[in-house]
Amino acid sequence: MKLPIYLGATAAAITVLGIGLASISQPISAPAAGFLGWAVSPYLGLMLLTRTARQKVSIITIAILTAAIAGFGIWIYVDSMFIHNDAQSALVFAVVPLWQWALILIVILLLFFNNLRNNFKRRKQ
């Protein structure tokens, strides 16, 4: 059940890394590598989150989250770097991962409170 999540997150990370490397016009520098690492970090976080998930509801939620984050991220990167390219297009490598991490943290909190509620119900019975 977890393998499609790993494959999807890995494919998205490789795609984002490829878009970033294709859009660099000079040899890669340390700041560019930092931004590419920051752009790939939500997908690595999703893989770590998948590794720790135990319940089926959590795994399904993480699968949906991975698909949404990967689709949103790749769409924004392609749109800003290849379709509507302008002087500020490279800023997506700083902003998009921030929004992706925000969504990941919101879902983590929802899953945490859901698990907490389920554990409380089990103890009460």
Side-chain angles (χ1 to χ4, degrees):
M1 182 76 182
K2 293 182 179 183
L3 183 64
I5 301 171
Y6 288 127
L7 292 175
T10 303
I14 290 171
T15 304
V16 168
L17 195 60
I19 292 170
L21 291 174
S23 62
I24 295 175
S25 61
Q26 58 188 354
I28 191 162
S29 62
F35 279 113
L36 289 178
W38 171 242
V40 171
S41 69
Y43 307 110
L44 299 176
L46 285 169
M47 287 184 217
L48 289 174
L49 186 61
T50 303
R51 184 176 180 210
T52 61
R54 302 276 185 250
Q55 296 180 355
K56 189 173 183 176
V57 173
S58 298
I59 294 171
I60 292 171
T61 305
I62 294 169
I64 294 169
L65 178 68
T66 302
I69 285 181
F72 166 74
I74 292 171
W75 174 62
I76 293 294
Y77 289 128
V78 167
D79 183 54
S80 64
M81 297 310 292
F82 300 122
I83 298 172
H84 296 109
N85 193 7
D86 66 355
Q88 288 83 24
S89 290
L91 290 175
V92 296
F93 287 101
V95 176
V96 170
L98 182 70
W99 287 106
Q100 289 173 328
W101 275 114
L103 184 60
I104 290 170
L105 291 176
I106 289 169
V107 171
I108 287 173
L109 284 174
L110 292 174
L111 289 175
F112 173 75
F113 287 125
N114 185 34
N115 289 335
L116 194 66
R117 183 182 57 129
N118 289 341
N119 289 338
F120 182 71
K121 282 183 181 179
R122 281 188 214 134
R123 287 184 184 172
K124 197 173 182 181
Q125 291 175 353

